[in-house]
Amino acid sequence: VKMVQKYQSPVRVYKYSFEMVMAAYEKRFPTCPLIPVFLGSEVLSEFKSDDGSIHILERSCKLNVDAPRLLKKIAGVEYVYFIQKNTLNWKDRTLLIEAHNETFASRVTVIETCSYSVHPENEDWTCFEQSASLDIKSFFGFENTVEKIAMKQYTANIKRGKEVIEHYLNELIAEGVTEIPRWVQLEKRVQAMATVQSSTSTQPSLGDSRLELDVLTHSSTKEPSCNLSSSATEPTTPDADKLDADYIERYLGQLTPMQESCLIQLRQWLQETHKGKIPKDEHILRFLRARDFNMDKAREMLCQSLTWRKQFQVDYILETWRPPAFLEEYYAGGWHFHDRNGRPLYILRLGQMDTKGLVKAMGEEALLRHVLSINEEGQRRCEENTKIFGRPITSWTCLVDLEGLNMRHLWRPGVKALLRIIEVVEANYPETLGRLLIVRAPRVFPVLWTLVSPFINENTRQKFLIYSGNNYHGVGGLVDYIDREIIPDFLGGDCLCNVPEGGLVPKSFYQTEEELETSDHIRLWAETIYQSGNIFKGAPHEIVIEILEGSSVITWDFDILKGDLVFNIFHSKRSPQTTRKDPPVSTPGGNSVQLIEKSWVLGVDYSMVESPLVCREGESIQGSHVTRWPGFYILQWKMKGPPLVSATTLPSVDDVLATLQVSSHKCKVMYYTEVLASEDFRGSMSSLESCHSGFSQLSAGTSSSSQSQSSSLISR
């Protein structure tokens, strides 16, 4: 049995100089009463460079693990020992801490790395980062128990560590130590010595002497620090690709250490696979919460949603969606101030809405698109309210009035449209609904609820509050969640509500099935610039692009939806177009198309013009190729096979199992290609990345983790 747990901290910022933080850190040794599990330490080795800029210290640390007595007896140990190596660089003002367990090293591997460094935007502040991994190979059959105990104790001490440093910082300040000189080079040290000898003033006491920070190796002279007046109130992120702990608390809310770690790890994975164009942090966090912070499940759900957004250009829906004019009158829903918690409030008078008329007048697809625009607007309002109220607002409240609900609302196509809307919203907007208040529920409501509730996530159902009749008045009713002065007039309040009253849609607006299928707003929704292809073992997916003149540029943008693939580009003077005698291979149940004929010989009938590119599941690939000759260019995606082994080496068990597993599964790719004239092409990524990447809205305000490479080769 092998279990691996990983932890990655956000960047924690101390608003003190590096030298002050180091003085506070050293106060933790050799023992620290503030950390009960830390029983003591012993120095094993020590090294100091001649100029005093480098100090390397290795310690053995003794810890008391809070484990059941029976487990300690079975393991035969009372305490656990760790080896800690500290590399302190006074010149660069960094401290690297590397630790690993000495006890049970053959059964359990614990590796921890911590670092202290200067804040890149304020030299008087210090940044701290921490990462760790726990690998349990075997532990007398108690692997699960040991994992839980280890992670519980580790996470309990993570934030405690910052409190301890702050405690000792305050202790230093109480002792009169508010500034510690910095290290200077040897030639400057002589000047400092002369200054000290001629000075009648005394240096401030450093309190604890363990750091040996004497004035001859440190200078009190500082370069002017940059003015960060706004930084005192606004959290800053030391690195564009990293998250600051204060930023998380201010904009995302209180998270446990492991929840922070999940967010950071998923964010890093997205930066690596999506070229830095990642969704906003609050959007990533919603998917983690929807899957109870299970990394694998959240990643799968988020990747499917990002692909869906990209395929249907959902990022641009607020700019491009123009609802039919009659919808403003007959769609009885709209935004109305906010609830007591600052969440945007959306009111839906479902009982007054003619769902049958709306579906017949605009179709299911257009109705879905309108609901998606409401959800996109809700996310935008949450961001605004976060700034207004100074605390994280990540969801909204929906007030649904069912007055007027009757059997007409149970019209089968209407219910079908409602279920589909719920399915799409649940999959792509998780954890956006903070609370759903249902008022004036009639007797027919239980029938509708029975049909709809199985399609609603359990976490979402727990946010429903249902009031029948008029029992939404008074304590325990709407006033517990909405300020009395904004309760709508049609619910007995004093606030004039601008939400449309709905009513029956005139049949003159109805469209025939043919009209619904060919109407512009449906066609724009149903069609997409992206296509998809299925890939099976031995059956790649290929497309052909005819180039009439050289120096054209073939550009591509594709996402690997399932499996690992190899991407190739070939050139041929012969047309691979299908003939009646020799049709392309088409796989049943999919749209895999193979254009390269089996009789063709590589190097004779066609040639490879780019090196093969291995693409992993979840990756988003953009790139281009400048053509050298006219002819036919074939873009091919094929299933990645097992690694090659030599004749004298047997394949590993993992390779064999991977081959067996892949053979029964298909891979899937979603792609877009375009041919540009060379004079219209600007850089290898072209305008394709900015126009069709599909992450413009979700990633706004999130910095890219990498720069595009200008090259005619394949670009990731």
Side-chain angles (χ1 to χ4, degrees):
V1 180
K2 185 177 181 180
M3 292 173 285
V4 180
Q5 284 275 9
K6 293 185 178 181
Y7 170 78
Q8 175 63 56
S9 77
V11 179
R12 305 192 189 281
V13 178
Y14 297 97
K15 297 182 180 180
Y16 296 91
S17 70
F18 176 79
E19 289 72 23
M20 282 287 290
V21 173
M22 289 300 97
Y25 174 77
E26 280 299 315
K27 279 179 167 286
R28 294 175 48 176
F29 301 98
T31 59
C32 181
L34 297 175
I35 307 179
V37 297
F38 183 66
L39 301 179
S41 63
E42 177 185 350
V43 176
L44 301 178
S45 65
E46 187 172 9
F47 165 81
K48 287 185 179 180
S49 62
D50 293 338
D51 63 359
S53 63
I54 304 294
H55 186 189
I56 302 175
L57 194 66
E58 193 170 24
R59 296 185 178 96
S60 174
C61 301
K62 182 179 179 181
L63 304 180
N64 179 30
V65 179
D66 185 16
R69 186 68 188 171
L70 176 62
L71 184 60
K72 286 186 176 181
K73 191 171 183 180
I74 293 173
V77 298
E78 189 68 29
Y79 307 110
V80 175
Y81 289 87
F82 275 73
I83 302 299
Q84 182 191 75
K85 179 183 177 182
N86 289 6
T87 303
L88 178 60
N89 188 322
W90 288 115
K91 181 180 179 181
D92 296 339
R93 303 177 77 197
T94 61
L95 171 64
L96 175 65
I97 306 169
E98 300 167 290
H100 65 273
N101 63 306
E102 188 177 30
T103 309
F104 297 121
S106 62
R107 296 181 178 274
V108 179
T109 303
V110 180
I111 299 174
E112 181 184 51
T113 304
C114 304
S115 67
Y116 289 88
S117 59
V118 178
H119 194 293
E121 295 178 8
N122 190 331
E123 63 178 12
D124 291 327
W125 290 359
T126 305
C127 298
F128 172 75
E129 285 187 84
Q130 182 177 15
S131 64
S133 66
L134 169 67
D135 184 356
I136 301 178
K137 301 175 181 68
S138 64
F139 205 87
F140 313 106
F142 290 92
E143 291 81 12
N144 282 311
T145 304
V146 172
E147 180 189 34
K148 290 177 181 177
I149 291 172
M151 295 310 297
K152 180 180 178 181
Q153 290 215 343
Y154 189 78
T155 54
N157 287 302
I158 286 171
K159 290 193 175 179
R160 180 64 177 157
K162 183 179 181 182
E163 294 171 1
V164 170
I165 294 294
E166 289 176 339
H167 169 83
Y168 286 125
L169 282 167
N170 291 331
E171 193 175 274
L172 285 169
I173 293 171
E175 294 170 358
V177 182
T178 58
E179 184 177 313
I180 294 179
R182 297 182 189 175
W183 177 90
V184 292
Q185 295 178 351
L186 181 62
E187 53 269 23
K188 294 184 179 179
R189 201 180 305 165
V190 177
Q191 299 175 5
M193 185 184 297
T195 303
V196 171
Q197 291 175 348
S198 63
S199 174
T200 57
S201 61
T202 58
Q203 294 293 330
S205 170
L206 297 184
D208 198 290
S209 62
R210 293 188 187 94
L211 277 178
E212 301 179 5
L213 298 174
D214 80 37
V215 74
L216 300 183
T217 56
H218 292 74
S219 169
S220 59
T221 304
K222 296 191 299 184
E223 296 178 5
S225 60
C226 53
N227 184 12
L228 293 178
S229 58
S230 62
S231 298
T233 55
E234 288 297 322
T236 60
T237 301
D239 191 304
D241 291 343
K242 297 178 181 179
L243 289 183
D244 177 272
D246 293 335
Y247 161 83
I248 291 176
E249 185 173 348
R250 166 66 175 80
Y251 292 101
L252 304 178
Q254 293 285 347
L255 300 178
T256 67
M258 290 311 296
Q259 289 174 345
E260 289 177 338
S261 177
C262 287
L263 172 62
I264 292 166
Q265 290 182 61
L266 182 53
R267 192 176 186 269
Q268 287 175 343
W269 182 85
L270 287 167
Q271 286 173 332
E272 293 168 2
T273 58
H274 289 80
K275 294 183 64 58
K277 300 184 297 295
I278 64 173
K280 294 178 181 177
D281 300 317
E282 54 266 33
H283 193 74
I284 300 173
L285 188 57
R286 287 186 180 112
F287 284 83
L288 283 166
R289 283 184 169 133
R291 292 296 177 262
D292 296 322
F293 287 87
N294 182 303
M295 277 280 292
D296 292 335
K297 292 181 179 179
R299 179 169 53 201
E300 180 182 1
M301 183 184 185
L302 178 57
C303 284
Q304 289 176 354
S305 179
L306 292 179
T307 301
W308 169 82
R309 296 184 69 90
K310 187 173 183 179
Q311 184 173 8
F312 294 107
Q313 301 290 284
V314 178
D315 282 345
Y316 310 106
I317 197 169
L318 290 178
E319 303 166 14
T320 60
W321 171 241
R322 295 294 179 266
F326 70 86
L327 200 63
E328 296 181 6
E329 181 179 353
Y330 295 102
Y331 190 88
W335 295 99
H336 182 76
F337 300 102
H338 55 79
D339 70 3
R340 286 184 178 272
N341 293 320
R343 297 189 185 106
L345 176 62
Y346 189 83
I347 294 179
L348 182 65
R349 304 184 68 176
L350 186 60
Q352 303 299 315
M353 195 180 298
D354 180 10
T355 52
K356 181 177 180 179
L358 289 174
V359 172
K360 281 187 171 291
M362 62 188 301
E364 182 181 326
E365 294 292 339
L367 188 59
L368 170 61
R369 185 156 190 165
H370 186 65
V371 173
L372 295 181
S373 71
I374 294 171
N375 280 269
E376 291 293 309
E377 173 66 16
Q379 291 186 149
R380 188 189 66 78
R381 287 174 178 260
C382 285
E383 293 174 16
E384 285 184 355
N385 285 17
T386 295
K387 297 175 182 177
I388 293 171
F389 292 101
R391 62 177 185 273
I393 307 292
T394 59
S395 60
W396 55 85
T397 293
C398 186
L399 172 59
V400 181
D401 179 20
L402 295 183
E403 175 73 7
L405 189 75
N406 54 44
M407 295 302 293
R408 179 183 177 86
H409 291 85
L410 300 180
W411 178 60
R412 189 173 183 83
V415 173
K416 176 175 169 288
L418 177 60
L419 294 178
R420 185 177 172 219
I421 289 171
I422 292 173
E423 182 182 15
V424 172
V425 170
E426 283 279 300
N428 298 286
Y429 300 92
E431 297 298 314
T432 52
L433 182 65
R435 181 174 291 111
L436 183 69
L437 304 170
I438 299 176
V439 298
R440 301 201 285 192
R443 292 183 178 181
V444 74
F445 174 71
V447 180
L448 181 62
W449 179 248
T450 302
L451 295 172
V452 170
S453 59
F455 296 87
I456 301 174
N457 181 275
E458 176 61 29
N459 290 339
T460 305
R461 288 205 299 266
Q462 292 177 359
K463 300 171 184 176
F464 284 37
L465 288 171
I466 303 171
Y467 301 93
S468 60
N470 293 319
N471 64 355
Y472 60 89
H473 293 296
V475 179
L478 293 183
V479 290
D480 283 13
Y481 307 101
I482 303 172
D483 288 333
R484 190 180 299 275
E485 55 267 25
I486 67 166
I487 293 179
D489 50 353
F490 59 84
L491 291 178
D494 298 326
C495 185
L496 182 63
C497 184
N498 294 323
V499 174
E501 295 182 4
L504 293 177
V505 178
K507 291 186 178 181
S508 59
F509 289 117
Y510 285 14
Q511 299 186 59
T512 64
E513 293 293 331
E514 292 76 15
E515 289 173 329
L516 288 174
E517 290 178 0
T518 58
S519 59
D520 286 344
H521 56 270
I522 298 301
R523 185 165 64 252
L524 288 172
W525 173 250
E527 292 185 356
T528 170
I529 61 173
Y530 290 90
Q531 303 177 59
S532 61
N534 293 326
I535 298 94
F536 299 84
K537 186 178 181 181
H541 182 72
E542 298 166 342
I543 61 173
V544 62
I545 298 174
E546 184 178 6
I547 300 297
L548 300 178
E549 56 184 53
S551 298
S552 295
V553 182
I554 301 173
T555 64
W556 55 80
D557 177 13
F558 61 86
D559 291 81
I560 312 301
L561 305 185
K562 184 177 182 182
D564 295 342
L565 302 175
V566 178
F567 177 60
N568 288 301
I569 307 175
F570 303 102
H571 171 263
S572 175
K573 294 180 180 179
R574 297 174 56 182
S575 170
Q577 291 180 347
T578 62
T579 62
R580 294 182 180 179
K581 294 181 180 180
D582 188 19
V585 176
S586 181
T587 307
N591 59 345
S592 173
V593 176
Q594 190 171 348
L595 298 172
I596 298 177
E597 301 173 23
K598 292 182 178 180
S599 60
W600 283 16
V601 178
L602 183 62
V604 178
D605 299 289
Y606 67 110
S607 59
M608 183 179 292
V609 296
E610 292 282 7
S611 300
L613 176 67
V614 176
C615 311
R616 304 294 181 183
E617 181 175 325
E619 287 187 332
S620 179
I621 313 294
Q622 297 88 25
S624 60
H625 172 77
V626 180
T627 64
R628 296 178 62 186
W629 317 280
F632 300 92
Y633 287 80
I634 300 169
L635 276 59
Q636 179 195 74
W637 293 268
K638 70 177 181 179
M639 186 174 287
K640 180 180 179 295
L644 296 175
V645 293
S646 64
T648 58
T649 307
L650 291 174
S652 67
V653 175
D654 290 341
D655 292 338
V656 175
L657 291 176
T659 304
L660 293 173
Q661 185 178 18
V662 168
S663 63
S664 60
H665 290 79
K666 69 178 180 180
C667 300
K668 191 171 184 178
V669 63
M670 183 182 77
Y671 61 90
Y672 167 79
T673 62
E674 184 178 2
V675 177
L676 304 172
S678 58
E679 59 267 20
D680 297 332
F681 183 75
R682 295 191 298 271
S684 67
M685 305 304 290
S686 78
S687 59
L688 183 146
E689 180 177 345
S690 60
C691 293
H692 305 302
S693 67
F695 298 134
S696 63
Q697 298 299 322
L698 284 175
S699 61
T702 303
S703 300
S704 171
S705 65
S706 62
Q707 301 295 323
S708 322
Q709 299 296 320
S710 294
S711 165
S712 62
L713 300 177
I714 297 171
S715 303
R716 279 183 191 256

